[in-house]
Amino acid sequence: MDLTGHATDYLVDATFPEAMSRFVDHGRRRWPDAHVNGRPLPPQPARPWHLPEPEGDGYPDIVTFSSGQEMEDFWEENGYALDAAGEGPYAVFHRLHPTVQDGSPQAKEETALPPAGHYTVSLVTPDDPSTDPFSQTVVTDFEASLGDAGARLRTR
């Protein structure tokens, strides 16, 4: 499968897990039968959704979103793409950056690391949000979920 989708990158403070809970609620309102990480969300949660524990394998963790099993199947064939209804799956890739101790070799060699306890996040939408209304809605919901906790990273 060819790589598809459009990434919008962010640097988010330690409140990222709470922001993701709010973002999942946006997805639930968008799609009553929403699937997160390939599984249906309960319609009315007894408690807030929680970000899964990091896998710790050195790769970014991912949270995926779709409207239901039909879109999950569409995703397998088409990747991040818009369906006939003008909607598509999207995902949040994230990585927590650990504390770097002053004076450590890593601190001296890698001065471009984000501040300790911050997350680097990529929101991958089906299309470019500057030209696609659905993708723009997803970005708007994500940024509303972040509040003041995140900043969009500039890309070259």
Side-chain angles (χ1 to χ4, degrees):
M1 177 187 322
D2 292 330
L3 291 176
T4 60
H6 184 276
T8 305
D9 299 318
Y10 300 86
L11 180 63
V12 184
D13 70 18
T15 63
F16 174 69
E18 293 84 17
M20 278 300 295
S21 181
R22 291 187 295 273
F23 187 55
V24 167
D25 287 341
H26 280 279
R28 182 181 281 116
R29 286 190 295 272
R30 171 178 293 111
W31 294 320
D33 297 323
H35 280 47
V36 172
N37 290 337
R39 296 196 170 124
L41 282 173
Q44 291 289 22
R47 57 186 182 183
W49 181 87
H50 292 284
L51 191 65
E53 289 294 318
E55 293 194 21
D57 57 6
Y59 294 101
D61 292 298
I62 182 173
V63 179
T64 64
F65 298 83
S66 71
S67 63
Q69 190 58 51
E70 186 175 324
M71 188 175 284
E72 289 285 325
D73 297 341
F74 172 85
W75 198 345
E76 283 295 319
E77 271 191 46
N78 302 290
Y80 296 94
L82 297 170
D83 62 14
E87 297 181 336
Y90 53 95
V92 176
F93 292 81
H94 59 91
R95 181 184 301 190
L96 174 64
H97 286 275
T99 303
V100 177
Q101 300 296 323
D102 288 340
S104 72
Q106 184 182 24
K108 291 176 185 170
E109 293 172 16
E110 298 183 33
T111 58
L113 287 175
H118 279 66
Y119 290 79
T120 53
V121 178
S122 290
L123 172 61
V124 178
T125 53
D127 208 340
D128 185 341
S130 68
T131 58
D132 172 52
F134 174 77
S135 296
Q136 179 56 58
T137 301
V138 173
V139 168
T140 299
D141 288 349
F142 187 72
E143 291 179 355
S145 298
L146 292 177
D148 293 333
R152 193 179 287 196
L153 297 176
R154 298 192 189 280
T155 57
R156 295 177 192 218

